[in-house]
Amino acid sequence: MRFTSTTVAAWLLANTDVAGAFSVRPPITPTYQVQGNSFSHQRLQPLKFAEVSGGMEELQELTDDKRANALEKQVRKSPSFWKLAGYATIPVSAALGFGLMPSRRLAAHAAGAIVTGVAGAIGKSRLDVITESAATPAIAQAIIDHGIDDPTTTAGYIREIQSKFGIVDDEEFEAMCADVYGKYLLGMVKNNPMTKTSEPKELENLKAALGLSNLMVGEAHGAAAAEWYRTTCLFTPEEDLEDPDHPDRQAMDKFLFLTERVLHRGGETPEAFKFEMTRVAKAMNLSLVEAMDRVTDVNEPFYQRALKSTRAKLGTNQVSQSTLEKARQSLGISDQTAFDMHISCLNEEVRELLGLKVADEEDRAEVDMNTAKFSEGALERLEELKDILGLSEQDLNYEITAEATPLYQATALAAIKDVLAGAGSPDDAWQKMEKRRKELLLPESNTRDLISSMVMQALGGPLEETNKFAKVNNEAAVFENLREALEAKQALISILKKSGWDEFDAFDKTFCDPWNRQSANGFLRSDERIKLYRIFLVRTVRKAGDGMITDEMYNTIMEVKGLLGISDDQAEVEARAAFGPELQKVCLRATTEIVADYTPELAKNMQNDIDEVITKYRLSEEFLREQGVVYYAKAVSQISDKAPGGIPTADMQNALLALQAMFKIAKEDTYAAHMEYFGPVYRKSILEAMGSTGVIREELKESLQQLRDRLGVREEDTKSLFLDAIEEKFVPMVKWINNEMERTMLNQKQLSQRRGKDMGEDIFQSGKIADGVLGLGAEVNIMGDIINLVDFYSENGIAEEREVGTKEVDGKEIPVLETSYPITAIGTGALDQEMAEYLYRQFVVGAFTAQGQQASRYEAARTSFGGILGLTSEKMEEINSTIGGTVYDNFVSRSMASKGTLDQQDMMFLANIQGKLGLSSEQSEKLLLQSQKKVLSEEINLLMDNPTPEGLKAFREKCNVMGMDLAEDVGVSTPRLVRMFESEIVPGLKSGTITADSSEILTEIQESLNLDPDECEAMFEAVLLRLASQAMGLINAELLRGRDENTVDLIKEIVRYAAFVDGDLGLTVDEATAYKVFNIYEAFDFSGVDPAQVETNKDRLATALGISQ
């Protein structure tokens, strides 16, 4: 029901309990009934915090909002009344009067309100909005009153607010709570930008008190972030937000930190966390990566202080690994970040115990590197810290080694320098170093590596000093300093022995690697090391009395080589540069003397001179061979000039053999010189052996072999020379054939255009000029020239057989050989591709038209000629097929025109053509099929212009005899096959040749045309119905004109058609006409016809006409 304004006001006046509810006195203690039990409470006073939370301050501002109007304030004070008032329309003045006046004046003012309240009324929807808007401050007040230390209790009070204010929709109330949460969060950031470790827990309790889901918390953080960034940017430039020391930047980082903690501690999935965190970051114009970096900047200092506190409490049992674990979980420190910070903490403790400065102690004085050490109990303290931090023994050893190694190295380097300066012995140095190692808690296993690094530094000093002298070209000082460096090396080896190092053979590789910047010589450039080695090498030989490098001197040079990191190849280069001229001098003398007047004794003496130089300067045989090849080539050149006809005599050959042995030259190393100087002689001999015919006779081939051996030219080179000589003869022969072919094919103008010059008038021997016929005929016989070219190629053995694979024959693998042509007309440039194809085509046609023995010779030379021209096998097959196609087409068309089909004699002739053209069986069959198809296609085209049953039948039978399928082989289309079918059966049906009793004719036609039976049956039925309809139309026309006698043959035609389908011809005939036609048929003379058949025909006709007898 709905209450009127008067009714409500009267009810309020009569109810004194309600009147008390509108006084400004403190409210009485309310009593609540929950599941049968009643309880009451006094309104709690705000909790007294040692430091008021920024969130509480923000909520206080929300509840003290001065912008609320009088009605909203009354609703906050008495939500139960306004909930009841929502069921009726209340006068404004009555509502305000009840709410604002003291209770003792309630009656008077209520009455007045009733009178004046008619002027204005508050509707239910308006009261709902005001009531619900007042709920948000009420929620905030509940948080202020009851705090969030006990979120469960506070949650109960907040749920009562939902009931008091009549908010039925739970989602709407949760949104109000989320709004309060967002205000609280903004207050924490706005009122105090400095982050506290307790604040994530504070927000967690607030979330529980407000009963918010993870989704609503995310929404609250997103909305709060957008609001904070919007309002902050109104007054703070973006560059200030990039300053870590600016309060607003600190507030932003705090917001991000709190968001990350709340989302993680709320149990969000990784996907949900990423979404919510990204949304907050985007609201602040940051990427997710930037936001997470800001979070790290906030939480790491807290954990850093925890680690510093841990170090301070070592030995008190007040800290443990679990304590740090809780701190990490609370702050959101990742495992990797924690590990890095633990390592840093351990490092700081190590440096502290050593007395070294740490990162935050800039004012602390540096300690003496030689006296700094660990005190008593330092190792136990470090072990305890390591266990608390969850680090391994390896981590601890690494940090100790990293910090103590420089201290140890300072002592070790000083001790080593004393040894090198002669101020101490290796034993004294070792004792100092061992004592220092123990003071610094360095493992004994590290001694070898530590000393190794010291060796590199100690040895680098003398080398650096030596390099200074080399820069000013003080060779004497360089020599002496390098010798001192070798002595220092021995002293260092003595110290290394104490550490257990025994890899003395690998000393240079370990400590003198030039590619390692930390090695003893790593600071020297490559050219500097080479210069030092060169000076020492030359000066060592110079100091020798007789210039001979003794074994002792050689060993010293090798030690310097290793000390300076000189490679074997570079040492060889330096030796050659220093002593190569001496070797070159004796090699030149030996070459000159032996070429001038060779004797075995001379060769022996020259050999001794060369061996002496090699031994004296420790030169390699490889160097001798390299130099010897040069001088041997000079000897070959000189002998080539002296030899009669360029062919060396026996003594000259012996001289060359002596030089080969003297210079340690392999036979293969002499071929280049012999080819250069004796090759032209051999080539000239080949051309002479060819003579005018161009073919080398067998007896001359043996002589050429002997000449090759005498000249010392290897077989591969002679083959190249042979092909060069062949090409010299080959090219003119090809060009002659080409010129004759062009003169045959082209007229004067075409020839001039092709050759690019005026060719004048070309007259053949017959007196006829070139007519430019681009055919196969030729006025000049070039076939003989082509055969001569093929004979030249084959008799000189130019073509080569090479294996290109294998094939299996009778269970055995045999090689597959292919003929290659090293010299071709196209390859030499004598012909272009187009002319080569023309020549080959001309030769094939000429061979085809030739007769007798000459034809056989042409056929045998066909493939060779194509290869000599440079045509591929594929191109030759293509040309053969083209010519074959023309020949086959002409022959097949003539034969089929005269005989209709090809007989055995024709097939034998085609087989002969196949052999002449070099066609394979597959190619021949394909050409034959194409020719037949062409002839038959032309024949059917002519036949279908005026088709007759006889002609179509003959054509079908011809194709069947030849085994040609009309569709696949002849290429007759399906529509044409249908037309052929109809053209052959329609005259037969009309004439009565094809009847129901002779239906095998239809089957024969269908099979001959290779039509689908079902499709053929459908076509026949359509034809039958069409013919019946046409016949019936003619019958109607004759009956209409009174010419009944003209309908006899037409009625018989319909009867024949009806026999195929039992009368079902689909005719539509009026009854009178039908009976008239039937009566005419009954009057026919049926003498000599089987009466039963007559009756059957009558029944079929009656069915076709649609009448019953």
Side-chain angles (χ1 to χ4, degrees):
M1 62 180 289
R2 183 173 181 83
F3 298 96
T4 63
S5 303
T6 307
T7 305
V8 173
W11 179 80
L12 291 174
L13 288 172
N15 193 333
T16 56
D17 292 335
V18 175
F22 296 103
S23 72
V24 295
R25 292 176 299 171
I28 61 174
T29 301
T31 301
Y32 302 95
Q33 189 76 22
V34 180
Q35 296 181 353
N37 298 322
S38 61
F39 63 91
S40 63
H41 67 276
Q42 295 290 338
R43 179 176 177 180
L44 300 179
Q45 297 298 322
L47 298 177
K48 302 298 183 181
F49 295 98
E51 183 177 353
V52 178
S53 168
M56 289 296 184
E57 292 182 23
E58 187 70 15
L59 295 187
Q60 189 66 52
E61 292 181 9
L62 176 62
T63 57
D64 295 341
D65 190 358
K66 301 298 189 295
R67 293 172 297 176
N69 55 42
L71 181 58
E72 290 175 346
K73 292 180 180 180
Q74 282 301 314
V75 172
R76 293 184 193 176
K77 293 180 180 180
S78 304
S80 299
F81 166 71
W82 295 102
K83 176 182 177 182
L84 176 63
Y87 294 108
T89 302
I90 309 296
V92 176
S93 56
L96 293 178
F98 289 142
L100 298 177
M101 295 298 106
S103 58
R104 63 180 178 271
R105 299 181 181 178
L106 177 61
H109 286 280
I114 293 174
V115 176
T116 60
V118 180
I122 302 174
K124 177 180 182 299
S125 59
R126 172 62 176 158
L127 286 173
D128 289 344
V129 172
I130 295 175
T131 303
E132 292 171 0
S133 65
T136 301
I139 297 171
Q141 188 63 51
I143 296 295
I144 295 172
D145 292 344
H146 304 287
I148 55 176
D149 289 340
D150 185 2
T152 303
T153 302
T154 305
Y157 291 114
I158 291 174
R159 285 302 167 192
E160 290 176 6
I161 293 174
Q162 180 180 5
S163 176
K164 283 183 181 182
F165 283 80
I167 301 173
V168 180
D169 191 343
D170 291 339
E171 292 184 0
E172 183 180 354
F173 186 73
E174 187 178 15
M176 296 177 185
C177 293
D179 186 34
V180 173
Y181 179 95
K183 300 291 185 185
Y184 193 96
L185 175 61
L186 285 173
M188 295 175 71
V189 174
K190 179 176 65 175
N191 296 323
N192 186 4
M194 303 305 295
T195 307
K196 302 176 184 177
T197 56
S198 61
E199 288 175 327
K201 179 64 176 177
E202 187 177 338
L203 285 177
E204 187 177 354
N205 289 346
L206 178 62
K207 171 189 172 184
L210 293 171
L212 296 177
S213 63
N214 288 341
L215 177 63
M216 293 307 297
V217 169
E219 293 288 340
H221 277 261
E227 175 66 19
W228 181 90
Y229 191 76
R230 182 184 64 79
T231 56
T232 301
C233 288
L234 293 175
F235 306 101
T236 304
E238 288 192 6
E239 53 268 22
D240 288 346
L241 293 180
E242 297 294 330
D243 181 9
D245 296 328
H246 195 278
D248 288 339
R249 163 62 185 272
Q250 293 173 351
M252 178 190 289
D253 294 350
K254 176 179 180 178
F255 193 107
L256 293 169
F257 168 74
L258 293 176
T259 300
E260 188 272 342
R261 285 291 78 215
V262 168
L263 294 178
H264 261 307
R265 294 172 72 158
E268 289 282 20
T269 63
E271 294 78 10
F273 172 82
K274 182 177 180 181
F275 172 79
E276 298 293 356
M277 196 68 196
T278 301
R279 179 164 62 168
V280 171
K282 186 176 181 181
M284 295 183 172
N285 200 25
L286 298 173
S287 66
L288 178 61
V289 175
E290 292 174 325
M292 295 308 296
D293 289 341
R294 298 281 187 91
V295 172
T296 301
D297 294 340
V298 173
N299 60 20
E300 285 188 5
F302 288 111
Y303 194 62
Q304 191 68 47
R305 288 197 290 270
L307 293 176
K308 190 171 184 179
S309 174
T310 299
R311 288 175 53 202
K313 296 178 181 179
L314 288 174
T316 63
N317 295 326
Q318 296 181 10
V319 289
S320 64
Q321 193 171 351
S322 60
T323 305
L324 293 180
E325 175 68 23
K326 292 178 182 178
R328 289 197 300 274
Q329 292 180 354
S330 174
L331 295 171
I333 302 294
S334 67
D335 293 341
Q336 183 59 48
T337 301
F339 176 78
D340 294 340
M341 296 180 71
H342 289 179
I343 291 293
S344 178
C345 175
L346 182 61
N347 177 266
E348 291 180 1
E349 183 66 18
V350 170
R351 293 182 63 83
E352 182 74 24
L353 294 175
L354 280 173
L356 304 177
K357 288 173 58 176
V358 294
D360 56 352
E361 295 178 340
E362 298 180 359
D363 298 333
R364 184 171 177 176
E366 293 285 353
V367 299
D368 185 358
M369 299 286 285
N370 295 317
T371 59
K373 62 180 180 179
F374 286 109
S375 60
E376 193 72 25
L379 183 59
E380 289 76 11
R381 181 178 175 88
L382 291 173
E383 289 283 355
E384 181 185 0
L385 180 59
K386 178 218 28 159
D387 294 338
I388 292 174
L389 296 177
L391 299 176
S392 65
E393 193 71 28
Q394 183 180 1
D395 295 329
L396 176 58
N397 291 337
Y398 178 84
E399 296 303 321
I400 293 176
T401 302
E403 298 299 335
T405 295
L407 306 179
Y408 175 83
Q409 289 176 335
T411 301
L413 188 59
I416 291 174
K417 287 182 177 180
D418 289 344
V419 174
L420 298 182
S425 65
D427 290 339
D428 295 337
W430 176 250
Q431 290 177 1
K432 293 179 182 178
M433 292 159 64
E434 270 296 284
K435 179 182 177 183
R436 187 61 173 151
R437 180 187 66 76
K438 294 177 181 177
E439 292 176 346
L440 296 173
L441 301 180
L442 291 172
E444 187 176 0
S445 59
N446 291 2
T447 304
R448 175 175 165 176
D449 295 335
L450 293 171
I451 295 179
S452 296
S453 63
M454 293 300 96
V455 168
M456 294 182 185
Q457 296 183 45
L459 198 55
L463 291 180
E464 185 176 7
E465 189 70 19
T466 303
N467 190 45
K468 292 179 181 178
F469 292 115
K471 288 181 178 180
V472 295
N473 295 322
N474 188 345
E475 295 184 359
V478 169
F479 181 80
E480 293 302 326
N481 273 268
L482 284 175
R483 294 183 66 86
E484 291 176 4
L486 292 179
E487 295 174 359
K489 173 183 173 181
Q490 296 303 319
L492 292 172
I493 290 176
S494 299
I495 297 176
L496 286 171
K497 288 180 180 178
K498 299 290 185 180
S499 67
W501 193 81
D502 57 359
E503 299 176 12
F504 305 110
D505 294 338
F507 183 92
D508 294 335
K509 182 178 179 180
T510 304
F511 303 109
C512 302
D513 181 5
W515 309 115
N516 181 3
R517 298 290 297 172
Q518 305 302 320
S519 69
N521 57 31
F523 65 94
L524 293 173
R525 298 196 310 270
S526 177
D527 60 310
E528 292 175 339
R529 292 184 293 103
I530 292 172
K531 183 178 182 180
L532 293 176
Y533 177 76
R534 184 185 303 124
I535 293 173
F536 189 85
L537 175 64
V538 174
R539 198 161 186 86
T540 298
V541 177
R542 193 182 302 164
K543 280 181 169 291
D546 56 357
M548 176 77 70
I549 299 179
T550 63
D551 291 342
E552 181 181 357
M553 294 168 60
Y554 180 75
N555 292 334
T556 303
I557 292 172
M558 290 298 101
E559 287 191 31
V560 172
K561 170 178 169 290
L563 184 66
L564 294 174
I566 303 298
S567 65
D568 293 339
D569 292 340
Q570 188 59 47
E572 178 73 13
V573 170
E574 295 304 321
R576 293 180 180 186
F579 313 121
E582 296 296 327
L583 179 62
Q584 293 170 355
K585 192 183 299 180
V586 296
C587 288
L588 178 61
R589 180 167 175 262
T591 301
T592 305
E593 293 293 341
I594 289 177
V595 170
D597 186 10
Y598 166 76
T599 64
E601 187 66 24
L602 174 63
K604 183 178 180 181
N605 293 331
M606 292 297 98
Q607 181 71 66
N608 292 334
D609 291 347
I610 292 175
D611 291 343
E612 181 181 355
V613 172
I614 292 293
T615 304
K616 181 178 181 179
Y617 297 111
R618 303 293 178 111
L619 296 174
S620 65
E621 286 191 0
E622 179 64 27
F623 183 45
L624 173 62
R625 278 193 295 272
E626 292 178 6
Q627 295 298 313
V629 168
V630 177
Y631 290 103
Y632 182 82
K634 291 182 179 180
V636 173
S637 174
Q638 294 173 8
I639 288 176
S640 175
D641 294 337
K642 291 173 57 178
I647 301 174
T649 63
D651 286 342
M652 291 178 180
Q653 286 182 299
N654 292 333
L656 291 176
L657 291 174
L659 288 174
Q660 290 180 31
M662 191 180 302
F663 296 148
K664 306 293 190 297
I665 300 175
K667 186 70 174 176
E668 291 75 14
D669 296 332
T670 66
Y671 289 143
H674 283 253
M675 179 64 176
E676 181 180 357
Y677 297 106
F678 295 143
V681 177
Y682 186 78
R683 185 176 182 277
K684 180 181 178 183
S685 300
I686 293 174
L687 290 172
E688 292 174 351
M690 287 181 182
S692 59
T693 63
V695 177
I696 302 175
R697 299 194 306 273
E698 289 297 326
E699 60 270 18
L700 294 179
K701 290 181 180 180
E702 185 176 351
S703 298
L704 288 174
Q705 176 66 28
Q706 294 173 357
L707 177 62
R708 180 180 70 81
D709 296 338
R710 188 171 178 179
L711 295 176
V713 182
R714 62 182 172 181
E715 185 176 356
E716 292 82 356
D717 293 333
T718 56
K719 184 175 181 180
S720 174
L721 294 169
F722 172 73
L723 292 177
D724 286 344
I726 289 293
E727 184 175 344
E728 187 173 333
K729 289 281 189 179
F730 173 81
V731 171
M733 297 174 70
V734 173
K735 287 186 176 180
W736 167 260
I737 297 172
N738 177 57
N739 292 338
E740 291 302 310
M741 187 65 181
E742 287 179 345
R743 291 175 63 247
T744 302
M745 295 170 52
L746 307 175
N747 59 30
Q748 177 189 353
K749 182 178 180 181
Q750 291 171 334
L751 192 60
S752 298
Q753 290 176 347
R754 179 171 178 81
R755 298 186 181 179
K757 60 182 180 179
D758 186 6
M759 300 306 298
E761 192 71 19
D762 190 7
I763 306 295
F764 292 112
Q765 291 181 357
S766 63
K768 180 183 177 182
I769 64 172
D771 56 8
V773 179
L774 296 176
L776 297 175
E779 294 290 345
V780 177
N781 182 18
I782 64 172
M783 299 295 288
D785 295 327
I786 292 175
I787 289 298
N788 291 336
L789 178 64
V790 174
D791 291 343
F792 166 79
Y793 213 93
S794 60
E795 292 180 16
N796 283 315
I798 303 172
E800 301 173 352
E801 295 286 341
R802 61 181 180 180
E803 185 176 338
V804 294
T806 60
K807 65 179 180 179
E808 187 175 342
V809 178
D810 297 333
K812 296 181 180 179
E813 289 286 336
I814 62 173
V816 176
L817 301 178
E818 182 181 78
T819 303
S820 64
Y821 299 86
I823 298 176
T824 64
I826 295 176
T828 58
L831 290 180
D832 56 23
Q833 180 73 26
E834 182 181 12
M835 184 54 67
E837 293 177 11
Y838 282 150
L839 276 174
Y840 181 75
R841 183 178 290 106
Q842 173 69 26
F843 185 75
V844 172
V845 173
F848 174 73
T849 57
Q851 301 294 328
Q853 185 177 0
Q854 190 179 39
S856 300
R857 189 177 183 191
Y858 290 164
E859 291 174 17
R862 182 183 57 250
T863 303
S864 297
F865 180 57
I868 293 169
L869 290 175
L871 299 177
T872 62
S873 58
E874 292 79 7
K875 177 56 69 174
M876 287 188 281
E877 289 180 4
E878 178 185 336
I879 295 173
N880 293 342
S881 297
T882 303
I883 297 173
T886 303
V887 174
Y888 271 58
D889 285 348
N890 293 334
F891 177 77
V892 171
S893 61
R894 287 200 303 268
S895 297
M896 293 184 66
S898 60
K899 304 176 185 179
T901 59
L902 299 178
D903 55 20
Q904 184 176 4
Q905 184 178 359
D906 296 331
M907 298 305 294
M908 291 177 62
F909 181 77
L910 289 176
N912 185 39
I913 295 176
Q914 174 187 340
K916 283 180 173 292
L917 296 177
L919 301 174
S920 64
S921 299
E922 292 77 8
Q923 289 176 312
S924 178
E925 183 178 351
K926 181 179 179 182
L927 291 174
L928 177 59
L929 183 63
Q930 289 175 346
S931 299
Q932 291 175 328
K933 176 180 178 180
K934 181 178 180 182
V935 172
L936 293 173
S937 297
E938 293 174 352
E939 182 177 346
I940 190 62
N941 288 336
L942 293 174
L943 183 60
M944 292 306 292
D945 289 340
N946 186 21
T948 63
E950 295 76 12
L952 292 173
K953 181 179 180 181
F955 180 77
R956 288 191 295 101
E957 291 176 348
K958 180 192 296 186
C959 292
N960 293 338
V961 170
M962 297 173 63
M964 304 285 285
D965 184 271
L966 289 171
E968 295 181 3
D969 298 331
V970 182
V972 179
S973 64
T974 300
R976 174 163 284 190
L977 288 175
V978 172
R979 186 182 170 200
M980 290 174 65
F981 178 77
E982 292 182 356
S983 298
E984 190 168 353
I985 67 171
V986 168
L989 289 171
K990 284 187 174 184
S991 65
T993 304
I994 301 176
T995 65
D997 296 331
S998 60
S999 59
E1000 66 276 359
I1001 297 177
L1002 296 173
T1003 304
E1004 187 268 333
I1005 296 174
Q1006 174 261 318
E1007 293 178 350
S1008 179
L1009 295 176
N1010 197 18
L1011 293 172
D1012 181 74
D1014 295 334
E1015 293 180 358
C1016 195
E1017 182 178 349
M1019 287 190 294
F1020 175 75
E1021 184 176 351
V1023 169
L1024 197 66
L1025 297 180
R1026 185 177 76 248
L1027 293 177
S1029 178
Q1030 292 174 355
M1032 192 65 219
L1034 294 175
I1035 291 172
N1036 286 329
E1038 294 297 333
L1039 292 177
L1040 185 63
R1041 289 168 176 77
R1043 296 196 290 259
D1044 295 359
E1045 66 279 6
N1046 292 345
T1047 64
V1048 174
D1049 291 336
L1050 294 173
I1051 294 173
K1052 290 180 179 180
E1053 190 176 332
I1054 289 179
V1055 171
R1056 289 198 304 272
Y1057 299 157
F1060 286 99
V1061 292
D1062 287 334
D1064 187 12
L1065 293 175
L1067 298 175
T1068 303
V1069 185
D1070 61 88
E1071 186 176 359
T1073 303
Y1075 277 106
K1076 188 173 183 179
V1077 171
F1078 187 80
N1079 291 334
I1080 293 173
Y1081 182 73
E1082 281 189 326
F1084 284 2
D1085 181 11
F1086 294 111
S1087 58
V1089 182
D1090 184 10
Q1093 183 64 47
V1094 173
E1095 292 302 320
T1096 300
N1097 290 342
K1098 289 181 179 180
D1099 292 340
R1100 290 171 179 168
L1101 179 60
T1103 301
L1105 296 174
I1107 60 176
S1108 59
Q1109 299 185 45

